[in-house]
């Protein structure tokens, strides 16, 4: 994931921006060093938005406790209907496309995704 302002995701100082759960992290420069433990071929650069709302967060979050349609934003006037994940299959997303740092893209099924980012308390990002 690419940081919007080079400060590891703290682009919205009011709520701290989206916080990623290690080992996931933001790229702050295109020349970031990678290792054999975390190679560029597995480093996500961009992904389809898969957002949820629920009280649980972290990589082991149960998706059945999350809401994926009409997730309210921190500013309801900005988006009154809320965000909805794309590629929905009934009440859960089917998955999403991900672009990796080595420039290949692939589809990741939702059942293979984890909740890696938390945005504003109970709003979560999956990839």
């Amino acid at each position: 994931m690419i940081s919007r302002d080079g400060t590891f995701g703290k682009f919205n100082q009011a709520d701290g921006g989206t916080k990623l759960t290690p080992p996931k992290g933001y790229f702050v420069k295109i020349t970031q060093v990678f290792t054999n433990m975390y190679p560029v071929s597995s480093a996500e650069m961009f992904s389809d938005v898969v957002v949820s709302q629920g009280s649980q967060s972290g990589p082991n979050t149960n998706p059945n406790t999350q809401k994926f349609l009409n997730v309210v934003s921190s500013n309801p006037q900005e988006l009154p209907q809320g965000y909805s994940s794309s590629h929905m299959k009934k009440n859960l997303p089917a998955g999403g496309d991900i672009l990796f740092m080595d420039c290949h893209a692939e589809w990741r099924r939702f059942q293979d995704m984890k909740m890696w980012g938390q945005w504003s308390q109970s709003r979560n990002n999956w990839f």
Side-chain angles (χ1 to χ4, degrees):
M1 302 292 138
I2 294 178
S3 172
R4 289 188 185 182
D5 67 358
T7 57
F8 297 98
K10 296 188 185 304
F11 47 82
N12 181 347
Q13 295 302 320
D15 68 6
T18 302
K19 295 166 186 66
L20 296 180
T21 303
K24 303 298 182 188
Y26 285 100
F27 300 118
V28 293
K29 57 184 178 178
I30 203 72
T31 58
Q32 183 167 332
V33 177
F34 290 87
T35 66
N36 289 338
M37 290 186 64
Y38 195 54
V40 294
S41 61
S42 63
E44 296 94 343
M45 190 163 50
F46 296 102
S47 69
D48 276 339
V49 175
V50 180
V51 295
S52 69
Q53 184 175 352
S55 59
Q56 289 184 316
S57 64
N60 297 319
T61 298
N62 182 346
N64 296 317
T65 65
Q66 305 287 303
K67 171 182 160 185
F68 292 93
L69 294 172
N70 302 316
V71 175
V72 297
S73 71
S74 55
N75 181 357
Q77 290 77 29
E78 183 180 290
L79 193 63
Q81 285 79 30
Y83 295 95
S84 292
S85 292
S86 50
H87 311 294
M88 291 297 291
K89 187 176 180 181
K90 297 189 181 180
N91 293 329
L92 292 175
D97 290 311
I98 298 175
L99 176 66
F100 292 84
M101 194 67 183
D102 69 350
C103 295
H104 87 276
E106 65 183 55
W107 173 262
R108 184 175 289 165
R109 299 177 318 153
F110 181 70
Q111 49 266 53
D112 297 329
M113 291 183 174
K114 292 186 179 181
M115 200 296 294
W116 288 109
Q118 185 176 24
W119 155 64
S120 184
Q121 305 234 334
S122 66
R123 293 162 192 94
N124 304 310
N125 295 319
W126 301 71
F127 54 95

